[in-house]
Amino acid sequence: SLKRTPFYRNTEGFEIGPISRDKRYVALVKPRTTLDADIYLHDRQAGTTTNITVHTGAVNNRPADFSPDNARLLFVSDSGREFVSLRSYDLATGAKAAVYEQPWDVLGAEYSKGGRFLTVYVNEDSKFAARLLEASNLRPAPVAGMPRGLVRGVSVSRNDSAFAFYASDGSVPDELYAGAIAGTPPKRLTNALN
């Protein structure tokens, strides 16, 4: 029989964010306004909850994902910049670093289940786009023959060998594509106009 065990008891009204793969850490958000929020890190092992984005003024901080090795928390923030960028917080040292900056707002990011890829979501002049990057060096993933237009809703297979996504050039609704990474061009699976 299955026995339920509380994973985390939210008694302070936090928004729940990502959970580390080893289940030790829970990222939490305490919004003050729609443009001002702090990220708290709950350590289930130590039983502590720490504000990792202490600031003054209005700074928008949001957790994105934990690294596959459970060493860092990726988060997005507009602290010190006009545009929101992707940053990291080292769980052992507390050091923060810029990870991915664009002349547009970075909306979030997530690692693939296998950990080889990082999908970064960017608001390019009010058009949401997804970028599939090699997690180790942040270079674009080796994907040939991508369709023109914006790519969204990227999903990478558990073994990091294939992916699916939606794409549109704006003239038609989103089409669903799938294919091998570093293989033949992805194949369109739908015809949204029919």
Side-chain angles (χ1 to χ4, degrees), residues 6-189:
F7 184 78
Y8 168 74
R9 199 171 305 278
N10 188 5
T11 59
E12 297 185 47
F14 290 112
E15 292 177 5
I16 308 296
I19 299 168
S20 62
R21 293 183 185 200
D22 64 0
K23 310 278 191 273
R24 177 176 175 179
Y25 296 101
V26 180
L28 307 165
V29 179
K30 180 74 91 166
R32 292 186 197 139
T33 69
T34 56
L35 299 174
D36 186 18
D38 278 314
I39 299 171
Y40 287 75
L41 186 66
H42 178 71
D43 182 337
R44 295 180 63 236
Q45 186 175 322
T48 59
T49 303
T50 306
N51 183 345
I52 64 168
T53 56
V54 175
H55 66 274
T56 58
V59 177
N60 200 359
N61 300 292
R62 295 283 171 185
D65 200 3
F66 285 92
S67 61
D69 63 0
N70 306 300
R72 297 179 303 147
L73 171 66
L74 294 183
F75 67 100
V76 292
S77 178
D78 63 1
S79 177
R81 287 187 40 118
E82 177 182 356
F83 296 104
V84 177
S85 64
L86 183 63
R87 302 163 190 214
S88 68
Y89 175 83
D90 187 291
L91 299 175
T93 67
K96 295 175 192 163
V99 174
Y100 192 77
E101 296 178 334
Q102 293 288 294
W104 310 100
D105 286 332
V106 176
L107 303 173
E110 63 185 348
Y111 286 98
S112 61
K113 298 266 190 278
R116 179 178 170 200
F117 299 105
L118 179 68
T119 304
V120 178
Y121 301 96
V122 179
N123 178 355
E124 294 180 348
D125 202 20
S126 298
K127 295 180 274 183
F128 301 111
R131 299 194 178 134
L132 186 63
L133 308 173
E134 294 275 358
S136 62
N137 58 25
L138 300 181
R139 291 188 185 130
V143 179
M146 289 294 288
R148 291 178 47 188
L150 294 176
V151 172
R152 307 174 240 245
V154 175
S155 181
V156 178
S157 66
R158 287 193 176 277
N159 66 2
D160 288 334
S161 66
F163 71 128
F165 60 91
Y166 291 96
S168 175
D169 65 1
S171 65
V172 296
D174 286 347
E175 300 283 6
L176 177 62
Y177 290 80
I181 296 175
T184 59
K187 181 178 179 181
R188 188 173 83 183
L189 304 177

